[in-house]
PDB file of all heavy atoms in Angstrom:
ATOM      1  N   SER A  18      22.938 -14.126  24.903  1.00  0.00           N
ATOM      2  CA  SER A  18      22.478 -15.047  25.932  1.00  0.00           C
ATOM      3  C   SER A  18      23.668 -15.987  26.357  1.00  0.00           C
ATOM      4  O   SER A  18      24.482 -16.275  25.571  1.00  0.00           O
ATOM      5  CB  SER A  18      21.296 -15.943  25.435  1.00  0.00           C
ATOM      6  OG  SER A  18      21.788 -16.789  24.378  1.00  0.00           O
ATOM      7  N   GLY A  84       7.672  -8.064   2.568  1.00  0.00           N
ATOM      8  CA  GLY A  84       7.183  -6.687   2.316  1.00  0.00           C
ATOM      9  C   GLY A  84       6.939  -5.772   3.506  1.00  0.00           C
ATOM     10  O   GLY A  84       6.445  -4.664   3.341  1.00  0.00           O
ATOM     11  N   HIS A  86       7.483  -3.342   6.684  1.00  0.00           N
ATOM     12  CA  HIS A  86       8.471  -2.254   6.924  1.00  0.00           C
ATOM     13  C   HIS A  86       8.623  -2.097   8.474  1.00  0.00           C
ATOM     14  O   HIS A  86       7.836  -2.583   9.223  1.00  0.00           O
ATOM     15  CB  HIS A  86       7.853  -0.914   6.335  1.00  0.00           C
ATOM     16  CG  HIS A  86       7.720  -0.906   4.876  1.00  0.00           C
ATOM     17  ND1 HIS A  86       8.806  -0.738   4.047  1.00  0.00           N
ATOM     18  CD2 HIS A  86       6.649  -1.107   4.082  1.00  0.00           C
ATOM     19  CE1 HIS A  86       8.446  -0.777   2.772  1.00  0.00           C
ATOM     20  NE2 HIS A  86       7.093  -1.001   2.772  1.00  0.00           N
ATOM     21  N   ALA A  96       1.490   9.837  15.117  1.00  0.00           N
ATOM     22  CA  ALA A  96       1.527   9.660  13.641  1.00  0.00           C
ATOM     23  C   ALA A  96       0.344  10.294  12.971  1.00  0.00           C
ATOM     24  O   ALA A  96       0.466  10.977  11.995  1.00  0.00           O
ATOM     25  CB  ALA A  96       1.648   8.166  13.323  1.00  0.00           C
ATOM     26  N   ASN A 136      -3.683  -4.821  15.977  1.00  0.00           N
ATOM     27  CA  ASN A 136      -2.230  -4.350  16.181  1.00  0.00           C
ATOM     28  C   ASN A 136      -1.842  -3.287  15.071  1.00  0.00           C
ATOM     29  O   ASN A 136      -0.761  -3.340  14.553  1.00  0.00           O
ATOM     30  CB  ASN A 136      -1.272  -5.502  16.042  1.00  0.00           C
ATOM     31  CG  ASN A 136      -1.518  -6.517  17.152  1.00  0.00           C
ATOM     32  OD1 ASN A 136      -1.642  -6.169  18.272  1.00  0.00           O
ATOM     33  ND2 ASN A 136      -1.506  -7.819  16.777  1.00  0.00           N
ATOM     34  N   SER A 143       9.951   6.734   4.945  1.00  0.00           N
ATOM     35  CA  SER A 143      11.087   7.204   4.163  1.00  0.00           C
ATOM     36  C   SER A 143      11.321   6.376   2.917  1.00  0.00           C
ATOM     37  O   SER A 143      10.868   5.212   2.815  1.00  0.00           O
ATOM     38  CB  SER A 143      12.364   7.205   4.981  1.00  0.00           C
ATOM     39  OG  SER A 143      12.688   5.891   5.383  1.00  0.00           O
ATOM     40  N   GLY A 183      -5.914  23.997  -2.774  1.00  0.00           N
ATOM     41  CA  GLY A 183      -7.138  24.800  -2.803  1.00  0.00           C
ATOM     42  C   GLY A 183      -8.139  24.243  -3.800  1.00  0.00           C
ATOM     43  O   GLY A 183      -8.249  23.005  -4.023  1.00  0.00           O
ATOM     44  N   ASP A 184      -8.893  25.194  -4.413  1.00  0.00           N
ATOM     45  CA  ASP A 184      -9.918  24.714  -5.370  1.00  0.00           C
ATOM     46  C   ASP A 184      -9.360  24.184  -6.585  1.00  0.00           C
ATOM     47  O   ASP A 184     -10.029  23.479  -7.350  1.00  0.00           O
ATOM     48  CB  ASP A 184     -10.889  25.940  -5.662  1.00  0.00           C
ATOM     49  CG  ASP A 184     -11.671  26.368  -4.507  1.00  0.00           C
ATOM     50  OD1 ASP A 184     -11.719  25.633  -3.491  1.00  0.00           O
ATOM     51  OD2 ASP A 184     -12.306  27.445  -4.568  1.00  0.00           O
ATOM     52  N   GLU A 237     -16.350 -10.525  -6.156  1.00  0.00           N
ATOM     53  CA  GLU A 237     -17.125  -9.652  -7.030  1.00  0.00           C
ATOM     54  C   GLU A 237     -18.586  -9.748  -6.734  1.00  0.00           C
ATOM     55  O   GLU A 237     -19.318  -8.707  -6.891  1.00  0.00           O
ATOM     56  CB  GLU A 237     -16.827  -9.883  -8.501  1.00  0.00           C
ATOM     57  CG  GLU A 237     -15.407  -9.402  -8.881  1.00  0.00           C
ATOM     58  CD  GLU A 237     -15.176  -9.558 -10.487  1.00  0.00           C
ATOM     59  OE1 GLU A 237     -15.994 -10.162 -11.126  1.00  0.00           O
ATOM     60  OE2 GLU A 237     -14.143  -8.942 -10.873  1.00  0.00           O
ATOM     61  N   ARG A 253     -16.907   3.838 -17.165  1.00  0.00           N
ATOM     62  CA  ARG A 253     -15.816   3.083 -17.726  1.00  0.00           C
ATOM     63  C   ARG A 253     -14.560   3.940 -17.792  1.00  0.00           C
ATOM     64  O   ARG A 253     -14.589   5.056 -18.217  1.00  0.00           O
ATOM     65  CB  ARG A 253     -16.152   2.595 -19.107  1.00  0.00           C
ATOM     66  CG  ARG A 253     -17.361   1.626 -19.205  1.00  0.00           C
ATOM     67  CD  ARG A 253     -16.960   0.281 -18.555  1.00  0.00           C
ATOM     68  NE  ARG A 253     -15.942  -0.328 -19.305  1.00  0.00           N
ATOM     69  CZ  ARG A 253     -16.064  -1.101 -20.369  1.00  0.00           C
ATOM     70  NH1 ARG A 253     -17.261  -1.364 -20.915  1.00  0.00           N
ATOM     71  NH2 ARG A 253     -15.023  -1.673 -20.960  1.00  0.00           N
ATOM     72  N   PHE A 315       3.146 -12.347  -2.992  1.00  0.00           N
ATOM     73  CA  PHE A 315       4.110 -11.216  -2.837  1.00  0.00           C
ATOM     74  C   PHE A 315       4.613 -10.812  -4.252  1.00  0.00           C
ATOM     75  O   PHE A 315       4.629  -9.613  -4.591  1.00  0.00           O
ATOM     76  CB  PHE A 315       5.204 -11.539  -1.965  1.00  0.00           C
ATOM     77  CG  PHE A 315       6.161 -10.433  -1.711  1.00  0.00           C
ATOM     78  CD1 PHE A 315       5.780  -9.340  -0.958  1.00  0.00           C
ATOM     79  CD2 PHE A 315       7.421 -10.424  -2.260  1.00  0.00           C
ATOM     80  CE1 PHE A 315       6.671  -8.242  -0.738  1.00  0.00           C
ATOM     81  CE2 PHE A 315       8.337  -9.420  -2.111  1.00  0.00           C
ATOM     82  CZ  PHE A 315       7.937  -8.307  -1.330  1.00  0.00           C
ATOM     83  N   SER A 325       1.589  -0.084 -11.730  1.00  0.00           N
ATOM     84  CA  SER A 325       0.969   1.163 -11.258  1.00  0.00           C
ATOM     85  C   SER A 325       1.889   2.315 -11.326  1.00  0.00           C
ATOM     86  O   SER A 325       1.569   3.440 -11.623  1.00  0.00           O
ATOM     87  CB  SER A 325       0.375   0.967  -9.857  1.00  0.00           C
ATOM     88  OG  SER A 325      -0.591  -0.066  -9.857  1.00  0.00           O
ATOM     89  N   GLN A 385      -2.008 -12.746 -14.201  1.00  0.00           N
ATOM     90  CA  GLN A 385      -1.723 -13.899 -15.111  1.00  0.00           C
ATOM     91  C   GLN A 385      -2.272 -15.160 -14.503  1.00  0.00           C
ATOM     92  O   GLN A 385      -2.391 -15.359 -13.363  1.00  0.00           O
ATOM     93  CB  GLN A 385      -0.190 -14.023 -15.189  1.00  0.00           C
ATOM     94  CG  GLN A 385       0.454 -12.808 -15.814  1.00  0.00           C
ATOM     95  CD  GLN A 385       1.987 -12.927 -15.796  1.00  0.00           C
ATOM     96  OE1 GLN A 385       2.522 -13.976 -15.415  1.00  0.00           O
ATOM     97  NE2 GLN A 385       2.658 -11.859 -16.169  1.00  0.00           N
ATOM     98  N   LYS A 396      -9.542 -24.847  -6.472  1.00  0.00           N
ATOM     99  CA  LYS A 396     -10.398 -25.116  -5.321  1.00  0.00           C
ATOM    100  C   LYS A 396     -11.585 -24.221  -5.296  1.00  0.00           C
ATOM    101  O   LYS A 396     -11.622 -23.169  -5.822  1.00  0.00           O
ATOM    102  CB  LYS A 396      -9.544 -24.956  -3.966  1.00  0.00           C
ATOM    103  CG  LYS A 396      -9.044 -23.539  -3.811  1.00  0.00           C
ATOM    104  CD  LYS A 396      -8.178 -23.429  -2.566  1.00  0.00           C
ATOM    105  CE  LYS A 396      -7.568 -22.083  -2.418  1.00  0.00           C
ATOM    106  NZ  LYS A 396      -6.688 -22.016  -1.310  1.00  0.00           N
TER     107      LYS A 396
END
Side-chain angles (χ1 to χ4, degrees):
S18 66
H86 297 280
N136 297 315
S143 62
D184 292 348
E237 290 188 347
R253 297 290 299 274
F315 183 71
S325 300
Q385 298 175 8
K396 59 186 178 182

